[in-house]
Amino acid sequence: MRERDPYEIVLLDSHNVWLGRSPGGVLQAVIEGVEYPEVLLYRTYPFSKPTEYISVRNPKEEEIGIIRSLQELELASREEAERELNLRYLIPRITHIEKIQQKPALWIWKVETTLGPMTLALRNLHEHLQSPAPGRYLISDIEGRRCEIVDINAMDAHSRKQWNKIL
């Protein structure tokens, strides 16, 4: 058996991947019949493809392989993967925009998020606002905090009216 090139990308057969938790809550896997008592999951494209091309690694950060799509996993494994990724990539989602106002050299946003109310300060909209997909926005403020608008068109009328102030 030849030694595996550490730079070789291995796409895993999702039908041969099982993810679950140990009694202590550690994410475990059985991949191609091999048991892994602890694995780590990383998004290779966290903004543009958050549920595709998921890197599975051992605790030493060595890649075991890549899951092409979480949708290909059986339900319980998919739920564990989503839970793990949500913990690793915790980004509050904006559920309501109370107010966006421009002050000298700053934009001040007062928003409600899935983690509670936040006030964000942005110097330049072009540097702090990214759109990885139509209607979806990632916002980072001057303190480095990040929030996400999943779909601006699905937000309430007041939020969309505030949003239109920056267009």
Side-chain angles (χ1 to χ4, degrees):
M1 183 172 151
R2 72 177 176 89
E3 188 173 316
R4 181 177 161 219
D5 178 352
Y7 298 104
E8 178 184 1
I9 295 173
V10 175
L11 288 175
L12 301 172
D13 178 354
S14 298
H15 297 97
N16 292 323
V17 174
W18 172 88
L19 297 169
R21 299 268 172 195
S22 72
V26 174
L27 186 67
Q28 301 177 316
V30 176
I31 300 171
E32 309 279 332
V34 177
E35 293 182 27
Y36 295 89
E38 181 178 356
V39 293
L40 306 168
L41 302 181
Y42 291 91
R43 291 178 169 135
T44 56
Y45 301 100
F47 300 127
S48 61
K49 297 178 187 286
T51 62
E52 297 177 45
Y53 302 103
I54 305 301
S55 174
V56 182
R57 301 178 191 178
N58 68 23
K60 293 180 182 177
E61 300 279 338
E62 298 164 334
E63 190 167 79
I64 298 163
I66 294 190
I67 299 168
R68 186 183 310 271
S69 172
L70 293 183
Q71 297 304 313
E72 296 175 358
L73 295 173
E74 56 91 16
L75 181 61
S77 291
R78 181 172 64 239
E79 288 173 347
E80 287 300 340
E82 289 169 349
R83 180 175 160 207
E84 187 73 12
L85 291 166
N86 285 339
L87 289 172
R88 180 174 303 282
Y89 295 91
L90 181 63
I91 299 176
R93 290 188 178 114
I94 294 176
T95 56
H96 176 74
I97 302 171
E98 183 58 39
K99 188 176 195 178
I100 297 176
Q101 96 188 102
Q102 188 173 19
K103 302 249 180 182
L106 284 178
W107 287 90
I108 306 297
W109 295 44
K110 293 193 182 288
V111 299
E112 290 291 328
T113 75
T114 52
L115 298 179
M118 290 180 78
T119 300
L120 304 167
L122 290 70
R123 280 200 186 96
N124 178 325
L125 292 177
H126 297 291
E127 291 176 20
H128 296 280
L129 197 61
Q130 297 174 334
S131 180
R136 182 175 174 216
Y137 294 90
L138 295 169
I139 301 151
S140 59
D141 76 352
I142 60 175
E143 295 178 10
R145 296 179 297 172
R146 295 184 303 170
C147 291
E148 175 183 31
I149 296 174
V150 176
D151 183 358
I152 190 63
N153 299 311
M155 294 190 78
D156 63 274
H158 178 80
S159 295
R160 289 191 314 272
K161 182 178 178 184
Q162 292 299 309
W163 177 260
N164 286 333
K165 289 181 179 182
I166 66 169
L167 297 179

